Amino acid sequence: MTDMATTATPLDPRNLSLLWASPERAEEIAALHGRLFSPGWNAESVAASIEDPTSASFIAQLRDPMQIVGFVIGRIAADEAEIISIGVAPEWQRRGIAKRMLEGLARAARRSEVKRLFLEVAVDNEAALELYTGLGFVCVGGRKAYYERAGKPNVDAAILALDL
């Protein structure tokens, strides 16, 4: 098995756009979500999340070939924001796409005078934990047996926060 972290071709930042997510892209986002998570969200759930007045959601789109390779769905309420879901296509992981999406969401949150950004992550997701802590997120709590895994024991979630 090959280690993606060592074999991934660097991404040319000029070939990636961070765009506001729109309901018209819900099918594509749902398809990617379904590749990454079980159960995946359907297009209606994605569209409802994006259309929510508190939504702050982005897609990462390649220019050549034109395709969505990542998404982040967030919510802003008063002076707090939370990441509801984030994902990058497996073949595009570990190339800085998630970091760019998180930085974009943090910028949008700051413009809305948000003071803190929250997210939950499975405690066994080492790559995500490394990314989040590298960006300055700190653990502020947890949820026991939060993530269900088909045919496996549930996994705890760590609640992380980033002061903006």
Side-chain angles (χ1 to χ4, degrees), residues 5 10 12 56-57 66 70 79 85 94 96-97 115-116 119 121-122 127 137 142 144 150 153 160:
D12 181 348
S57 303
M66 188 73 76
D79 66 347
S85 189
R94 295 193 172 270
I97 295 170
K115 305 291 184 231
R116 223 165 183 206
L119 61 84
V121 61
F137 282 86
K144 285 285 189 200
L160 304 181

Side-chain angles (χ1 to χ4, degrees), residues 114-127:
V114 166
K115 305 291 184 231
R116 223 165 183 206
L117 176 59
F118 292 90
L119 61 84
E120 292 156 344
V121 61
V123 297
D124 64 352
N125 189 340
E126 294 175 18

Side-chain angles (χ1 to χ4, degrees), residues 9-132:
T9 305
L11 176 67
D12 181 348
R14 296 171 297 180
N15 192 33
L16 184 77
S17 296
L18 188 61
L19 307 169
W20 285 100
S22 66
E24 295 79 25
R25 307 302 292 271
E27 287 282 344
E28 294 168 275
I29 297 167
L32 179 53
H33 194 280
R35 287 180 59 202
L36 299 168
F37 303 104
S38 180
W41 292 356
N42 62 34
E44 293 78 22
S45 297
V46 170
S49 294
I50 292 170
E51 290 175 320
D52 185 293
T54 65
S55 176
S57 303
F58 297 95
I59 57 170
Q61 179 175 286
L62 289 181
R63 292 184 186 163
D64 185 25
M66 188 73 76
Q67 65 180 346
I68 291 177
V69 294
F71 63 87
V72 60
I73 298 174
R75 207 179 318 179
I76 295 174
D79 66 347
E80 293 184 348
E82 68 176 319
I83 294 168
I84 307 301
S85 189
I86 182 171
V88 174
E91 63 275 20
W92 290 96
Q93 291 176 0
R94 295 193 172 270
R95 297 184 197 207
I97 295 170
K99 181 179 179 188
R100 283 188 59 186
M101 291 188 303
L102 288 166
E103 290 169 343
L105 182 59
R107 279 192 305 277
R110 280 188 201 98
R111 288 186 186 129
S112 295
E113 300 182 6
V114 166
K115 305 291 184 231
R116 223 165 183 206
L117 176 59
F118 292 90
L119 61 84
E120 292 156 344
V121 61
V123 297
D124 64 352
N125 189 340
E126 294 175 18
L129 285 165
E130 182 181 323
L131 170 66
Y132 300 140

